[in-house]
Amino acid sequence: MASGLSLFRKIDAHPRIAALALGLLSALGFQPLGLWPIALLAVGLFALLAARARSWVRAFQLGWLFGVAHFTLGNNWIATAFTYQAEMPAMLGWIAVPLLALYLAVYPALAAMVARIIVKTGSSWGFALVFGGAWIVTEWMRGWVFTGYAWNPFGMVLLGPFDRPGLAALSPVLGTYALSGLAVTLGCALVLLARERNWLAGGATAVLLVAGMYWPAGEAGQGKLLVTIAQPDIRQPTLSNPQFYEANFGRLARLSPRLDDSDAPRIVLWPESGMVDYLREGYPQRYYDRTTALGSPAYARRRLGASVGEGSVLLTGAVDLEIEADESGWLRAAGARNAVTAVDENGELLGGYAKAHLVPYGEYLPMREWLEPLGLSRLVAGSIDFWPGPGPRTLDLGEHGRAGVQICYEIVFSGEVVDPRDRPDYIFNPSNDGWFGAFGPPQHLAQARMRAIEEGLPVLRATTTGISAVIDARGVVRQHLGRHVQDRIDTVVPPAREPTLFARIGNLLPLAWSLVFMLAGFIAMRRQAS
C-alpha cells in the first residue's frame, strides 16, 4: 500500500521535533479549546512514529518527548496558581509545569515502548490496538502511582458539548481509562486509513465520529429535591484576607435564602474555601477569635442556618482542625482538614466529610524537612499541612437526600468518587477554581461531567468564581454559571440512574478492556502475517 504522503515523510525525517509538535497538538483536544479532531489525528500520527522507531528504546524516547509537550500545554493552568501566593516567586510556576511534565511523560512513553516491544512489524492495525491497550494501563497507573495525578485523561477529548455527552456516553461500559484507549485507537485508525489511501473507509469513520460526538442526549427525568447553588465570585486576593472575611460571608448569605414561601426540602451548596469560620467545638479560643463569627462556633452555625432558612440544609466548604498538645502541654493545631460540613436551619451539625485526595505542594508539602529550608512552601495559605480523610463517604441527610462529596481535585479520580457500599443520590463537588486561570476551570468541569456519566449520578458543582453547574447523570450540563459571575442557580437535583457497569466493577472494567484491545491486536498481527 502507498506510504509516500509528504506529511508522513516529514514526520519520519524529524522524529524528535515531530514527537514534540504532536504532543502539543494532542493537548488541543482538552477544554477550553476542544479541538478533538486535531487531538485524535495528532495521537494517531505519533503512534505511526512510534511504530516505525528502530527499537523499543527509541519508541520510549519519542513517547517521552510527546508526553512532555502534551502535559506542559495541558497543565499550563498550574502556573497561574503561583501568582496567588507570596511565599515563592511567581515565575516558579512556569518552571513547575514542565518539571511535572518531565515525570508525567513517562506514562505515554511506557505505552509506546510496550507496543513497540510487542509489535515488531512497523505501523499496522495490530500496533494501533496494542498501543491503545497499553495506553489504558499506563493511564490507570498515572492515576495512583505516587498518590496519583489523574488530570486530563486522553479520553476527555471525546466528551461532547454541554448539551450532549459525545462518545463519552460509552464510559459507563468502558470507564474513562478505556475510553482513552478507544480515543487513541480511533486516532490511529484515521491515520492508517489515510496512509492506505482508503478514503471511503476513512470518510465513513470521520462521519461516524462526528455523529457520535454531537448525537443528542435524549430525554431525562426530573428530580424533586430543590437545590440552590451559590457562586459568590470571591477572587483569590480577597479569599484569605481577614479584611474581607465578613464581606465574603455576606455575599454567600445573600445568595442563599428561599425565593418563595415553599417549605419543600432544599439543599443549599456553598463552595470550597468560602467559609472561614470554624464550626466545630473543642478548639482553643484563640482559633475562633481569628474568624468573623464573634469567636463562637455556635453563633457561626446559627447564622449559617438563618441564612438558608426553614426546610433547608446547607453543605459548605469549611476547615476543621486537628488539635494536639505539644511537649509543654500547649494545645495547638497540628493539622487541618479540608472539609464539607452539613448544617440545618437551626445551626445543628448533620455530618461532614474530609477531603482524601490532597494536592501535593498545594495542600501539603511533601518532604517538608528538606524542601522548606530551600524556600519552598505549599500554595494554600497557612503554616500547617492538611491531613487526608478516609475516602468516599455518603452523608444521609434524610429528606434532603444522600450526598456523596468530592472536594475540588478529588472529582478527577475515576473509580474513586463514590462509596460503592453506600451509593448516594448525587455527588456534591465544591471547589475553588479561582487559582487556575482560563484553562483549569473548564477542564475541571469536563472531568466532573465524566464522573457523572461513569457513575450514573448527577454532580452538583459550587465554586468560588466559576464554573458552577448542575450536571445530570448523562453528563449533560443543565445549568451553569460562567467564570467571574456572582449569581445563584435554583433548580432541582436531577435523578440518579441505576448503577452503571463501571459503578459496579470500577477500574477492573477498563483493565479488562485493555486485555480485549491487546487480544484484538494479536489477532490483527496474525492476519497480517498470513
Side-chain angles (χ1 to χ4, degrees):
M1 295 182 182
S3 60
L5 295 176
S6 60
L7 176 61
F8 299 130
R9 288 195 187 120
K10 290 177 182 178
I11 287 174
D12 283 339
H14 305 284
R16 293 186 181 89
I17 295 173
L20 287 167
L22 292 171
L24 285 173
L25 290 172
S26 68
L28 298 180
F30 298 127
Q31 296 300 318
L33 301 176
L35 301 176
W36 61 269
I38 293 176
L40 293 181
L41 290 172
V43 79
L45 286 168
F46 167 72
L48 178 69
L49 190 68
R52 296 159 71 92
R54 61 176 176 264
S55 68
W56 64 263
V57 174
R58 180 71 159 179
F60 182 91
Q61 292 171 344
L62 293 174
W64 185 78
L65 291 171
F66 173 90
V68 168
H70 175 86
F71 289 111
T72 297
L73 179 57
N75 290 312
N76 73 81
W77 52 270
I78 294 175
T80 310
F82 282 77
T83 65
Y84 294 113
Q85 52 78 46
E87 300 296 324
M88 296 175 288
M91 65 170 291
L92 187 59
W94 297 106
I95 300 172
V97 172
L99 282 177
L100 176 62
L102 296 181
Y103 158 65
L104 295 174
V106 169
Y107 295 100
L110 286 172
M113 181 190 76
V114 168
R116 182 63 184 81
I117 289 172
I118 293 174
V119 186
K120 300 179 175 63
T121 57
S123 54
S124 65
W125 291 97
F127 187 92
L129 289 160
V130 172
F131 184 46
W135 190 287
I136 294 170
V137 176
T138 57
E139 198 168 82
W140 165 73
M141 291 172 59
R142 177 161 69 90
W144 59 266
V145 173
F146 301 130
T147 76
Y149 183 77
W151 193 273
N152 276 351
F154 190 68
M156 298 302 305
V157 304
L158 296 182
L159 184 65
F162 277 12
D163 62 343
R164 53 201 71 196
L167 288 174
L170 298 172
S171 61
V173 295
L174 293 177
T176 291
Y177 301 131
L179 187 70
S180 295
L182 176 63
V184 166
T185 305
L186 287 171
C188 293
L190 290 172
V191 169
L192 284 171
L193 290 170
R195 181 174 175 269
E196 296 168 359
R197 299 190 180 185
N198 190 340
W199 308 122
L200 180 60
T205 301
V207 168
L208 289 173
L209 274 172
V210 172
M213 289 296 291
Y214 298 104
W215 196 263
E219 296 296 324
Q222 290 293 325
K224 296 180 180 179
L225 177 63
L226 300 177
V227 59
T228 295
I229 297 176
Q231 181 174 295
D233 191 28
I234 301 172
R235 308 294 175 92
Q236 287 302 118
T238 65
L239 195 65
S240 300
N241 187 334
Q243 294 181 351
F244 294 92
Y245 283 172
E246 192 63 27
N248 292 344
F249 171 82
R251 286 190 178 204
L252 284 162
R254 287 191 295 273
L255 291 170
S256 302
R258 286 187 181 273
L259 299 180
D260 56 30
D261 296 330
S262 168
D263 60 355
R266 181 183 69 127
I267 52 172
V268 180
L269 305 179
W270 286 9
E272 180 192 32
S273 305
M275 168 53 55
V276 297
D277 291 326
Y278 296 120
L279 303 179
R280 301 188 181 277
E281 307 284 347
Y283 305 159
Q285 185 59 39
R286 64 183 182 277
Y287 290 106
Y288 299 119
D289 291 339
R290 297 173 186 173
T291 62
T292 64
L294 302 179
S296 167
Y299 173 74
R301 296 193 303 270
R302 285 196 299 272
R303 73 173 186 167
L304 289 178
S307 70
V308 298
E310 186 176 355
S312 300
V313 165
L314 172 67
L315 292 170
T316 178
V319 173
D320 294 341
L321 298 178
E322 295 290 338
I323 304 296
E324 294 182 356
D326 62 19
E327 295 178 355
S328 65
W330 177 255
L331 293 177
R332 63 179 183 86
R337 308 275 189 184
N338 188 349
V340 161
T341 300
V343 182
D344 72 8
E345 62 192 79
N346 300 312
E348 297 295 325
L349 295 180
L350 301 180
Y353 168 83
K355 186 177 182 181
H357 267 294
L358 300 176
V359 181
Y361 306 98
E363 293 167 306
Y364 70 98
L365 185 64
M367 301 179 292
R368 178 177 285 275
E369 64 277 10
W370 295 349
L371 298 181
E372 201 167 39
L374 299 177
L376 297 178
S377 67
R378 66 177 206 196
L379 294 175
V380 177
S383 59
I384 58 174
D385 284 334
F386 283 86
W387 292 1
R393 294 291 185 273
T394 298
L395 303 180
D396 189 346
L397 303 175
E399 63 180 354
H400 296 87
R402 299 167 56 76
V405 182
Q406 290 289 289
I407 299 175
C408 193
Y409 166 73
E410 290 187 298
I411 200 71
V412 309
F413 288 89
S414 175
E416 301 180 42
V417 300
V418 168
D419 182 353
R421 299 161 299 181
D422 192 12
R423 182 173 166 85
D425 301 321
Y426 53 88
I427 298 173
F428 173 40
N429 176 223
S431 186
N432 171 17
D433 286 356
W435 294 92
F436 302 136
F439 274 62
Q443 290 179 8
H444 204 177
L445 173 65
Q447 290 169 102
R449 292 178 63 197
M450 189 67 78
R451 297 294 84 74
I453 302 169
E454 272 185 338
E455 300 286 349
L457 291 171
V459 175
L460 312 173
R461 301 196 78 232
T463 68
T464 49
T465 58
I467 305 167
S468 301
V470 176
I471 306 166
D472 71 21
R474 306 164 301 162
V476 170
V477 179
R478 293 196 175 186
Q479 289 181 256
H480 75 282
L481 297 172
R483 296 178 61 231
H484 304 315
V485 172
Q486 183 181 158
D487 205 347
R488 59 189 277 170
I489 295 173
D490 289 282
T491 185
V492 295
V493 178
R497 307 177 79 174
E498 290 298 314
T500 65
L501 184 61
F502 179 84
R504 297 177 187 277
I505 300 177
N507 279 321
L508 289 177
L509 181 61
L511 293 177
W513 276 109
S514 173
L515 295 176
V516 172
F517 276 65
M518 293 282 190
L519 179 60
F522 283 120
I523 293 172
M525 285 188 287
R526 287 180 65 87
R527 288 186 174 180
Q528 184 178 12
S530 61

